[in-house]
C-alpha cells in the first residue's frame, strides 16, 4: 500500500504547490507530442507504460492523451499503455513475489512457492482460486491505486497471467473511454491542463 500511495501523495503536493509550473510543463509536453506525429505516439505509449510501472496514477496521462490525439487514437493508446503497464507490473511482482512471501513467513520455502501465506493473503488467494474471473473483475473496480492492483495481484500465486490481462482490458476500458473523452472535450488547452492537475489532487478518491 505504501508503494501505491506514496507517488500519489507526492503528486498531490507538487500539484498544490507548483500548480502553474506543472500545468505549463504538461501543455508543452502535449504540444511536443502532437508535433512529433507517429513518433510522438510511440513515445507517449512507452512513457505511459513505464510511468505505470513506476506507480504513477494513470488518470492525468489519460487526460493528456485525450486532448493531444483524436478520440479513437487516445482510447487505443491509453488502453494499450495501461494494459502493457499492468502486465509488466504483474510480471515484476510475480518474479519477486516469492521472495516477499518468504520474508513475510520467516524464510519458509513453502511460502515462497505459495503454499503458505499470511491469513489475510490466504483468504484473498482462496477467493481467487474459487471465483477467479469474478474476483479479478471486482478487484479491478476496487477503490485502490492502480499500482496496488497490479503489483498486488502479481504477488498472488493463484492468479494466471491470461486471466489478469483479460480482466485488465475489460475492467479498465470504461475508464479509458471516459477520461480520453473528457480530455478531448475540454474547451481549451488551459482547461485541459487544469483538469490533469486537479485530478492529481483528487485521484485518491477513485481507482486510477
Amino acid at each position: 500500500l505504501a508503494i501505491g500511495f506514496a507517488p500519489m501523495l507526492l503528486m498531490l503536493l507538487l500539484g498544490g504547490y507548483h500548480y502553474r509550473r506543472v500545468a505549463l510543463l504538461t501543455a508543452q509536453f502535449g504540444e511536443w507530442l502532437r508535433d512529433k506525429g507517429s513518433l510522438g505516439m510511440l513515445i507517449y505509449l512507452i512513457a505511459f507504460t513505464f510511468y505505470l510501472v513506476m506507480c504513477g496514477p494513470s488518470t492525468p496521462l489519460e487526460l493528456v492523451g485525450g486532448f493531444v490525439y483524436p478520440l479513437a487514437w487516445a482510447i487505443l493508446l491509453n488502453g494499450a499503455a495501461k494494459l502493457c503497464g499492468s502486465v509488466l507490473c504483474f510480471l515484476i511482482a510475480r518474479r519477486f513475489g516469492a521472495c516477499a512471501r518468504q520474508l513475510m513467513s520467516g524464510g519458509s520455502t513453502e511460502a515462497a512457492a505459495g503454499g503458505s501465506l499470511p491469513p489475510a493473503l490466504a483468504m484473498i488467494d482462496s477467493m481467487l482460486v474459487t471465483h477467479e474471473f469474478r474476483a479479478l473483475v471486482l478487484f479491478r473496480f476496487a477503490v485502490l491505486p492502480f499500482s496496488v492492483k497490479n503489483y498486488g495481484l502479481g504477488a498472488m500465486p493463484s492468479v494466471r497471467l491470461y486471466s489478469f490481462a483479460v480482466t485488465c482490458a475489460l475492467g479498465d476500458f470504461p475508464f479509458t473511454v471516459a477520461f480520453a473523452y473528457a480530455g478531448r472535450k475540454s474547451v481549451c488547452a488551459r482547461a485541459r491542463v487544469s483538469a490533469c492537475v486537479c485530478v492529481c489532487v483528487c485521484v485518491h478518491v477513485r481507482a486510477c
Side-chain angles (χ1 to χ4, degrees):
L1 287 175
I3 294 175
F5 281 105
M8 294 199 306
L9 179 59
L10 178 61
M11 293 191 72
L12 172 64
L13 295 175
L14 288 175
Y17 289 104
H18 302 287
Y19 174 84
R20 292 184 180 178
R21 185 169 184 178
V22 172
L24 178 62
L25 289 174
T26 306
Q28 291 175 343
F29 178 61
E31 293 297 331
W32 182 82
L33 285 174
R34 186 184 290 113
D35 293 340
K36 292 296 181 181
S38 299
L39 178 60
M41 290 183 179
L42 179 61
I43 293 172
Y44 174 77
L45 178 63
I46 295 173
F48 196 168
T49 298
F50 284 98
Y51 170 80
L52 293 177
V53 173
M54 298 301 292
C55 302
S58 65
T59 309
L61 280 188
E62 288 184 84
L63 290 169
V64 170
F67 77 78
V68 171
Y69 299 113
L71 182 60
W73 278 110
I75 293 173
L76 179 63
L77 290 171
N78 288 345
K82 289 170 70 176
L83 180 59
C84 291
S86 297
V87 170
L88 278 177
C89 291
F90 181 91
L91 293 175
I92 292 171
R94 180 55 52 89
R95 174 65 180 83
F96 296 103
C99 299
R101 290 193 298 270
Q102 188 172 11
L103 288 174
M104 286 189 294
S105 302
S108 169
T109 55
E110 183 183 3
S116 175
L117 295 171
L121 294 181
M123 182 178 65
I124 297 174
D125 191 60
S126 175
M127 182 177 65
L128 289 168
V129 169
T130 54
H131 305 287
E132 183 184 33
F133 188 80
R134 185 186 306 174
L136 287 174
V137 170
L138 291 175
F139 201 85
R140 208 66 202 168
F141 283 94
V143 185
L144 290 170
F146 209 69
S147 52
V148 172
K149 300 175 186 180
N150 295 331
Y151 284 109
L153 288 172
M156 304 301 294
S158 61
V159 179
R160 296 176 298 171
L161 176 60
Y162 171 78
S163 301
F164 174 80
V166 170
T167 52
C168 280
L170 296 177
D172 291 341
F173 184 73
F175 298 109
T176 300
V177 174
F179 284 99
Y181 183 80
R184 192 63 193 165
K185 284 297 180 180
S186 297
V187 177
C188 62
R190 183 176 180 181
R192 296 166 187 160
V193 173
S194 298
C196 296
V197 178
C198 288
V199 169
C200 292
V201 178
C202 61
V203 71
H204 64 284
V205 177
R206 67 169 289 271
C208 302

